[in-house]
Amino acid sequence: MELFDVVDVIRVKRDGHALTKPQIDWVIDAYTRGAVKDEQMAALAMAIFLRGMNREEISQWTSAMIASGERMDFASLARPTADKHSTGGVGDKITLPLAPLVAVFDVAVPQLSGRGLGHTGGTLDKLESIPGWRASMSNEEIYSQLGEGCGAVICAAGAGLAPADKKLYALRDITSTVDCIPLIASSIMSKKIAEGTGSLVLDVKVGSGAFMKDIDQARELARTMVDLGADADVKTFAYLTDMSTPLGLTVGNALEVRESVEVLAGGGPADVVELTCTLARKMLEMSGKTDVDVEAALKDGRAMDVWREMIEAQGGEVDAELPIGAESHVVFAQEDGVLHTLDALSVGVASWRLGAGRAVKEDPVQAGAGIEIHTKPGDPVKKGQPLLTLHTDDEWRIPRALESLEGGIVIGDSAPDAACVVLDEIG
Ligand code: URA
């Protein structure tokens, strides 16, 4: 005998009322068990999409999704734990240099990550371009690497964490109920809280290449997630960062690993270094480490040492040559001027069409596909100068990638307003 009738629960939300805690706990549990069917949960998700949820409902929804699976606990580690989550962008490889950089200062980083879907890349797809590297680790291996090992782990989130979210996210994906702030916030935070981190820094992307195109929406998402963290006793802080143009000078799996290694060697593009250091400082501050020089740890090779250990611990051949697509195509400037726009979404879709991303979960990705960016917004350009180089294993993909760049590259007479990486913060 079930505690509630799902039709009554759907009707409550359909009519614009708040769901009670017992109703939320029951509906998430019953959906995970299969007692509430996909079509019923789809109706409830659409009612939530249209009617919204108040703070208590979102908090309870998140707790119920956490309770649907296992919860990791790193309290017994000698090191504090800190993690970051990005809502996803184009060229966003920050996790790769960030995790080893933070671990240099004896703060453990449990980065349980996912794969990319659509035009944004996935951290695991990027690391899998390193020959031999494996994404899956047992809980024992994760504890050992965080405790006695190098202190940084980037691996696949196991099926046991927030299984209700996995089922619900797949359903939202096919029922047009993804872009709903209460559902996005509870989805992200249920996984991060179940992962057991002590503190969490959120990188909420804003702009054409992000989920949130508009800064006010991004602020609302960030505020909702910071509140959910507080409700669960996880110290949480959010940055809103620019995603109107790609981050750094590479988009694509192996290309982004190469750029991350440049950052770990003390070089790399200024925007990638700035964001990596900003997030690292905040993760360390939230873990009680305030007197730290993160830039020095990039310059003097300490972060690189942790990277090497982290990659080798998961079978990666850290010195192996990274793959690059067999075919390439250069996009040249059509006129003199200043590069005004290099649109993140256009570049992300082009990279995806070159084979760097997937349309459905089961698709393979090409390690060597992607785009090298030679010119960033604000740079002067001369007609005939190379702007981008496209890479892929399949020549037939190039025309479709070029189509998605149409309108995404604008050369004008003057520079755009000076770009800031960090647009706002919410803590
Ligand atoms: N990422 C998630 O994990 N969940 C969402 O709902 C959206 C983005």
Side-chain angles (χ1 to χ4, degrees):
M1 173 74 180
E2 297 291 341
L3 205 52
F4 294 97
D5 182 338
V6 65
V7 176
D8 294 336
V9 176
I10 297 168
R11 191 182 305 118
V12 169
K13 189 44 70 183
R14 184 200 68 186
D15 292 346
H17 305 297
L19 297 171
T20 63
K21 286 182 179 192
Q23 283 171 332
I24 291 173
D25 287 346
W26 172 79
V27 81
I28 295 284
D29 174 58
Y31 180 55
T32 312
R33 291 187 275 116
V36 165
K37 303 291 173 216
D38 272 349
E39 52 272 31
Q40 295 167 322
M41 193 49 138
L44 182 58
M46 186 56 83
I48 292 170
F49 182 96
L50 296 171
R51 294 293 199 169
M53 285 201 283
N54 66 34
R55 179 169 171 184
E56 287 73 32
E57 288 176 288
I58 303 172
S59 185
Q60 194 59 32
W61 190 270
T62 307
S63 303
M65 291 212 291
I66 295 167
S68 73
E70 65 173 322
R71 192 165 176 177
M72 298 185 77
D73 182 2
F74 298 118
S76 60
L77 294 183
R79 298 162 165 159
T81 49
D83 193 10
K84 85 109 193 197
H85 178 83
S86 156
T87 56
V90 178
D92 182 4
K93 70 275 296 172
I94 299 297
T95 293
L96 275 54
L98 179 67
L101 176 59
V102 171
V104 164
F105 298 94
D106 226 21
V107 171
V109 186
Q111 237 316 311
L112 307 190
S113 303
R115 289 174 201 285
L117 194 61
H119 72 277
T120 61
T123 300
L124 301 180
D125 297 323
K126 293 172 200 189
L127 286 169
E128 280 176 347
S129 66
I130 302 174
W133 189 85
R134 71 182 158 89
S136 68
M137 287 177 89
S138 66
N139 286 357
E140 293 69 36
E141 285 175 309
I142 295 173
Y143 280 106
S144 146
Q145 193 160 317
L146 292 175
E148 301 95 56
C150 66
V153 170
I154 306 176
C155 69
L161 289 183
D165 176 64
K166 282 200 181 65
K167 210 171 162 191
L168 180 56
Y169 190 62
L171 183 69
R172 287 165 56 213
D173 206 25
I174 55 167
T175 56
S176 204
T177 49
V178 169
D179 46 349
C180 163
I181 287 176
L183 294 177
I184 297 174
S186 55
S187 165
I188 292 173
M189 292 304 287
S190 63
K191 285 173 285 201
K192 286 287 149 185
I193 295 165
E195 175 202 272
T197 186
S199 56
L200 176 65
V201 176
L202 298 165
D203 180 4
V204 179
K205 300 285 184 201
V206 192
S208 76
F211 249 124
M212 300 284 132
K213 314 286 179 203
D214 167 270
I215 190 136
D216 290 328
Q217 274 183 326
R219 276 198 192 98
E220 189 185 333
L221 176 62
R223 170 51 57 205
T224 308
M225 291 195 288
V226 168
D227 288 347
L228 288 175
D231 291 347
D233 280 335
V234 177
K235 284 173 265 172
T236 306
F237 188 93
Y239 288 103
L240 271 60
T241 71
D242 181 51
M243 191 31 68
S244 59
T245 200
L247 198 53
L249 296 173
T250 58
V251 181
N253 300 311
L255 285 167
E256 292 191 39
V257 172
R258 193 183 76 191
E259 187 168 278
S260 304
V261 171
E262 284 167 18
V263 172
L264 287 158
D271 55 351
V272 179
V273 176
E274 180 187 335
L275 188 50
T276 303
C277 291
T278 302
L279 298 178
R281 267 192 296 271
K282 182 54 78 177
M283 287 164 74
L284 290 165
E285 179 195 311
M286 290 168 86
S287 308
K289 312 250 174 186
T290 44
D291 190 19
V292 289
D293 185 348
V294 292
E295 283 85 357
L298 289 175
K299 296 269 180 230
D300 64 18
R302 280 177 291 158
M304 179 70 95
D305 290 344
V306 178
W307 161 263
R308 295 180 67 84
E309 226 184 291
M310 177 181 89
I311 297 300
E312 283 173 348
Q314 283 162 254
E317 294 168 38
V318 76
D319 293 317
E321 202 173 318
L322 294 168
I324 185 85
E327 307 293 334
S328 63
H329 178 96
V330 180
V331 176
F332 296 101
Q334 300 296 311
E335 58 195 302
D336 291 347
V338 178
L339 185 64
H340 188 274
T341 305
L342 180 61
D343 178 61
L345 181 60
S346 308
V347 176
V349 172
S351 174
W352 176 42
R353 289 182 173 175
L354 289 167
R358 52 171 71 77
V360 293
K361 268 208 298 263
E362 297 72 27
D363 282 350
V365 294
Q366 290 183 20
I371 298 180
E372 284 178 90
I373 298 167
H374 306 300
T375 315
K376 292 280 271 188
D379 290 348
V381 293
K382 287 261 173 248
K383 184 174 178 186
Q385 176 182 330
L387 298 178
L388 305 173
T389 304
L390 279 45
H391 299 275
T392 177
D393 287 333
D394 309 310
E395 200 174 2
W396 58 266
R397 291 177 178 272
I398 292 175
R400 292 265 290 142
L402 290 173
E403 252 174 53
S404 62
L405 289 170
E406 274 165 26
I409 303 174
V410 180
I411 296 174
D413 299 329
S414 59
D417 294 339
C420 286
V421 180
V422 175
L423 305 173
D424 202 356
E425 48 185 67
I426 290 177

